[in-house]
Amino acid sequence: MDTQWMKTDVLVIGGGTAGTMAAIKAKQANPDGEVLILEKANIRRSGAIAMGMDGVNTAVIPGNSTPEQYVREITISNDGILNQKAVYQTGKLGFEVIQELESWGVKFQKDAQGNYDLKQVHRVGKYVLPMPEGKDLKQILTRQVKRHKAKVTNRVMATRVLVRNGRAIGAVGFDVRTGDFVVIQAKAVILCTGACGRLGLPASGYLYGTYENPTNAGDGYSMAYHAGAELTNIECFQINPLMKDYNGPACAYVASPFGAYTANAEGHRFISCDYWSGQMMLEIWKELNSGKGPIQLKMTHLDKDTISEIESILWSNERPSRGRFHEGRGENYRTDGVEMNISEIGLCSGHSASGVWVNEKAETTVPGLYAAGDMASVPHNYMIGAFVFGRLAGTNAVDYIEGLDHLEPDPDVLEVEKQRISAPLNNPNGVPHTQVEYKLRRLVNDYLQPPKVDHKMEIGLRNFVRYHESLEIMSARDPHELMRCMEVHFIRDCAEMAARASLYRRESRWGLYHYRLDYPEKNNEEWFCHVNLKKNESGEMVLFKRPVEPYVVDVDIEREVYDVAVR
Amino acid sequence: MALTTQRVDVPVIVDESKCLEKCTACIEVCPLDVLVKNPETGKAYMKYDECWFCLPCEKECPTNAITVQIPFLLR
Ligand SMILES: Cc1cc2nc3c(=O)[nH]c(=O)nc-3n(C[C@H](O)[C@H](O)[C@H](O)COP(=O)(O)OP(=O)(O)OC[C@H]3O[C@@H](n4cnc5c(N)ncnc54)[C@H](O)[C@@H]3O)c2cc1C
Ligand code: SF4
Ligand code: SF4
């Protein structure tokens, strides 16, 4: 393994939604500073928005809603556990983000009067802004990254954040094509590596047929953990209602403003709101487990032109292979409902609330380490939230590094990591990574998929702890396979965190996301708090309660309970 | 360890008659990095069965040589 050395002022790991914005904002804050994006894929088409997006889910547009109203809605839907100041940022800065994106050429839907054409999908308030022409989002961002002269290194996967004297001083990783070991020195590090999308195994059994872009394997969760940062709400899993087998959104956010709705096998509504929440997922789980048959996104009652419009949006954007999936099965929205199922479990604050702890400045608990996007703990943050926190991280990192020098990495730390990375390559006749990954994720399904119960989760935890032995016998025959092997390491870390955090919170909360059969009720007296975890000095995973920050927007969560069941 | 090779049906098909030897567009954009060139023929093919059926490869191919199918297990 040859070693490549790099040096920059601000290092952004992951050039997806949040990462490209973080780099642009860091360059805007100080055009003379050096900013480097390290990307496992190629920023032109990477991450959740590789093929664009068909809508903004969290648009707070003046005249339609206020940041206070938005914070209120997210507080109620997230059962009160959140840092309101952080969520407020998404409400406050989202509009500027939308305007800036528009100035770069991103198109948002407007009505005949030229106003943003917002739709109601949430229980209360209009926050969904369609982007029927949103398919080129990623190329537009890539162009801006270049225009702002941020540097980009594609096809290098980060594996660890370097920490010295208690601050983040860079990262290490390897080139997924040449296998070179890569060391990057930086004054501040921004993690933007997306969700942990490869935690559970999809029902199809296809390892990469996940809801999230499977390249996001929980890398940032694990790297932040090993850097000593706190993570939070890990027990608040991401579980989504998806097209069965295809595993992409059905997608009620696009179709419900046109009159479509989620229905049971008889065609009746059983939830009053199509906005994704744990409470909604619990109703879906109950309906599916009633044995009465499939659930569906129903649009057969809509007129033909409306259906064609829905098709043209869904089949060109975000997950454009949806159309060919239906075609292959001979299904048509005019005559058939879209059969739906429950996704595999994952970690993702973009949709639920599980992430690396950040405050309203995108700072983690490790100085010099920032996080943004799906991996940073701002609940229901979605795409605009990723942009907002990318922006905050980029700007604040530039402030932080003023007057700071680079620190030399500890050679022993580098050597240990080099050995860890090279191990699978040195064991070409070991167990293929595909088998090691399949079994790990199958165990995640067996023991962590809600409903959760302590006896099951304890067995799961024992398996995940013991799984280090399986990682040791895993093999890679080229740098590409090595990338997958190191991802399996990340997935194992996330599985252990998910088991421990779920065992720790002895109550039920967030609907299906943390539904415990042994503690089926919500218990605000004991559990109105975050469950945080971190690695202590002796290398053990420790869990503790962290109080919820004082609210800035008054919400009485005892009275205002999120309930979307149709009874 | 004793190993064997298993055959799998891969979702991405390349029409070799249309694939340009000097081009690497699909290989550059794939978020999973699963496409490579056959060093002997200079044609692209799917080397690793790890596909998100997301379509950048198909979209960026200048000659429409690529067809992405839904992976068999999901189809
Ligand atoms: C199918 C789908 C549909 C969605 N629909 C909507 C919608 O309609 N509206 C909405 O508002 N939101 C939607 N979302 C959510 C939204 O897309 C995400 O919240 C947002 O894009 C997350 O941004 P991110 O920067 O955290 O992650 P990403 O944009 O995924 O970026 C992560 C980046 O990190 C890179 N990376 C990962 N690990 C490493 C590593 N170890 N080293 C280097 N690089 C690494 C990845 O390659 C990727 O480029 C959807 C998400 C999905 C998956
Ligand atoms: S569909 Fe996506 S993951 Fe599959 S080969 Fe093409 S670009 Fe890669
Ligand atoms: S993009 Fe098309 S032409 Fe270019 S290498 Fe790929 S298949 Fe061949």
Side-chain angles (χ1 to χ4, degrees):
Chain A
M1 244 183 189
D2 293 333
T3 302
Q4 293 178 34
W5 287 81
M6 301 179 195
K7 216 174 200 174
T8 181
D9 293 325
V10 175
L11 172 65
V12 179
I13 303 181
T17 317
T20 48
M21 186 59 89
I24 292 167
K25 287 291 156 185
K27 277 307 257 189
Q28 284 180 357
N30 178 13
D32 297 330
E34 291 220 354
V35 177
L36 172 68
I37 300 180
L38 200 70
E39 168 57 53
K40 181 198 256 186
N42 181 321
I43 68 161
R44 187 176 157 80
R45 293 281 192 188
S46 66
I49 60 169
M51 286 302 272
M53 204 76 332
D54 54 30
V56 170
N57 294 345
T58 53
V60 178
I61 307 279
N64 286 277
S65 60
T66 63
E68 285 75 16
Q69 287 168 334
Y70 175 69
V71 169
R72 206 184 146 70
E73 183 59 15
I74 300 305
T75 303
I76 299 167
S77 47
N78 208 48
D79 280 349
I81 310 293
L82 74 174
N83 178 351
Q84 277 196 344
K85 281 191 195 147
V87 174
Y88 194 87
Q89 296 281 40
T90 300
K92 190 178 73 178
L93 299 172
F95 183 49
E96 280 177 32
V97 162
I98 290 172
Q99 287 179 310
E100 187 163 32
L101 290 171
E102 217 167 15
S103 75
W104 294 340
V106 178
K107 293 206 180 75
F108 299 94
Q109 188 162 299
K110 303 243 169 107
D111 62 18
Q113 286 74 43
N115 298 316
Y116 292 109
D117 189 10
L118 287 147
K119 307 288 180 198
Q120 178 165 354
V121 176
H122 292 65
R123 209 182 39 118
V124 180
K126 287 183 174 180
Y127 298 106
V128 170
L129 176 57
M131 309 170 62
E133 298 172 72
K135 59 184 188 313
D136 298 325
L137 198 49
K138 207 64 211 295
Q139 288 106 298
I140 292 173
L141 289 164
T142 304
R143 214 176 302 136
Q144 289 301 326
V145 165
K146 286 198 186 125
R147 211 163 269 176
H148 284 84
K149 301 197 167 59
K151 288 194 184 135
V152 179
T153 297
N154 288 316
R155 305 292 174 194
V156 170
M157 170 183 176
T159 57
R160 284 286 186 267
V161 170
L162 292 167
V163 179
R164 201 153 196 192
N165 300 349
R167 63 175 250 236
I169 58 147
V172 286
F174 65 97
D175 186 309
V176 303
R177 292 198 174 156
T178 64
D180 284 358
F181 186 61
V182 179
V183 182
I184 308 107
Q185 281 181 264
K187 296 173 183 168
V189 178
I190 305 176
L191 286 170
C192 303
T193 61
C196 176
R198 260 164 56 214
L199 187 57
L201 187 66
S204 67
Y206 190 57
L207 289 172
Y208 308 89
T210 48
Y211 168 73
E212 291 291 341
N213 186 322
T215 199
N216 296 340
D219 310 31
Y221 289 77
S222 168
M223 285 191 277
Y225 171 76
H226 289 289
E230 285 180 31
L231 289 93
T232 193
N233 309 334
I234 296 299
E235 69 282 14
C236 179
F237 294 169
Q238 159 175 238
I239 310 171
N240 299 330
L242 302 178
M243 270 163 64
K244 186 174 178 299
D245 298 346
Y246 178 80
N247 238 2
C251 161
Y253 284 28
V254 166
S256 76
F258 289 100
Y261 57 90
T262 310
N264 63 15
E266 289 114 46
H268 302 307
R269 286 179 201 259
F270 62 96
I271 44 174
S272 57
C273 169
D274 279 317
Y275 179 70
W276 291 3
S277 63
Q279 296 83 348
M280 169 214 209
M281 285 310 304
L282 186 57
E283 296 310 317
I284 289 190
W285 180 81
K286 285 183 195 160
E287 182 63 37
L288 284 169
N289 281 277
S290 73
K292 283 190 286 193
I295 59 160
Q296 52 174 321
L297 180 68
K298 190 173 172 325
M299 42 183 151
T300 45
H301 56 290
L302 303 179
D303 66 71
K304 306 270 179 293
D305 291 347
T306 305
I307 292 181
S308 302
E309 194 174 343
I310 294 173
E311 281 172 348
S312 74
I313 299 169
L314 289 180
W315 300 357
S316 61
N317 248 320
E318 195 179 292
R319 297 296 280 131
S321 58
R322 265 183 280 229
R324 58 189 77 167
F325 173 80
H326 292 307
E327 201 187 337
R329 292 193 173 188
E331 293 162 355
N332 189 313
Y333 293 167
R334 287 156 197 80
T335 46
D336 307 291
V338 184
E339 187 184 352
M340 291 168 66
N341 201 0
I342 294 182
S343 73
E344 66 283 353
I345 66 166
L347 306 179
C348 175
S349 66
H351 293 82
S352 63
S354 33
V356 175
W357 176 270
V358 291
N359 60 13
E360 64 277 13
K361 296 173 78 181
E363 295 166 334
T364 70
T365 55
V366 173
L369 184 63
Y370 296 76
D374 283 349
M375 60 161 290
S377 67
V378 188
H380 297 236
N381 224 8
Y382 287 98
M383 181 176 62
I384 290 299
F387 283 134
V388 165
F389 274 77
R391 163 181 167 145
L392 289 166
T395 339
N396 290 324
V398 168
D399 282 347
Y400 162 83
I401 62 173
E402 209 184 301
L404 273 188
D405 285 326
H406 287 104
L407 277 186
E408 286 303 314
D410 179 344
D412 295 341
V413 169
L414 296 184
E415 193 47 40
V416 168
E417 184 57 4
K418 200 170 181 173
Q419 293 307 325
R420 187 179 78 94
I421 296 177
S422 8
L425 283 175
N426 295 335
N427 182 30
N429 292 324
V431 182
H433 63 88
T434 41
Q435 281 180 303
V436 180
E437 177 170 343
Y438 184 92
K439 184 157 129 189
L440 173 60
R441 292 172 60 192
R442 198 258 301 154
L443 292 168
V444 166
N445 281 17
D446 290 347
Y447 297 112
L448 292 187
Q449 217 165 35
K452 306 177 185 179
V453 68
D454 58 355
H455 302 299
K456 259 169 67 181
M457 291 193 289
E458 273 156 16
I459 303 174
L461 178 57
R462 276 204 299 280
N463 275 294
F464 305 140
V465 170
R466 221 170 49 108
Y467 218 71
H468 282 294
E469 293 164 21
S470 302
L471 301 184
E472 272 166 32
I473 54 172
M474 182 164 54
S475 76
R477 293 195 166 177
D478 59 31
H480 175 90
E481 290 191 11
L482 183 60
M483 161 163 67
R484 298 286 170 250
C485 289
M486 298 328 283
E487 288 166 349
V488 179
H489 280 255
F490 291 146
I491 298 169
R492 194 221 65 86
D493 288 347
C494 290
E496 183 179 343
M497 290 191 245
R500 287 194 194 276
S502 296
L503 280 162
Y504 191 86
R505 184 182 282 278
R506 290 190 302 279
E507 63 150 3
S508 287
R509 195 175 286 269
W510 305 295
L512 187 65
Y513 299 164
H514 185 64
Y515 177 37
R516 283 191 64 159
L517 287 181
D518 42 357
Y519 300 96
E521 301 300 327
K522 189 183 340 170
N523 175 355
N524 278 334
E525 225 146 86
E526 278 179 72
W527 293 102
F528 181 72
C529 60
H530 296 275
V531 169
N532 278 24
L533 64 82
K534 68 172 194 177
K535 184 163 142 179
N536 70 8
E537 276 86 46
S538 10
E540 290 154 358
M541 198 178 285
V542 287
L543 291 100
F544 48 95
K545 290 183 174 181
R546 178 156 180 157
V548 172
E549 298 278 318
Y551 282 180
V552 289
V553 176
D554 228 8
V555 182
D556 180 356
I557 58 137
E558 295 290 348
R559 278 190 40 243
E560 307 230 38
V561 178
Y562 198 92
D563 185 359
V564 292
V566 171
R567 294 190 176 88
Chain B
M1 223 113 350
L3 298 166
T4 185
T5 311
Q6 270 186 334
R7 288 178 297 138
V8 287
D9 172 72
V10 297
V12 172
I13 303 166
V14 178
D15 180 344
E16 294 204 347
S17 68
K18 291 189 189 161
C19 179
L20 311 171
E21 248 168 80
K22 292 224 166 73
C23 172
T24 55
C26 57
I27 296 166
E28 290 320 317
V29 294
C30 172
L32 276 299
D33 208 12
V34 293
L35 306 172
V36 299
K37 281 275 167 132
N38 179 334
E40 266 145 46
T41 60
K43 309 288 176 181
Y45 76 102
M46 183 168 224
K47 184 170 179 196
Y48 308 94
D49 177 25
E50 301 159 356
C51 180
W52 196 39
F53 35 105
C54 50
L55 311 190
C57 54
E58 190 178 292
K59 186 133 204 251
E60 306 249 352
C61 174
T63 62
N64 292 326
I66 294 198
T67 309
V68 177
Q69 298 176 294
I70 303 296
F72 175 76
L73 291 178
L74 284 61
R75 206 176 290 160

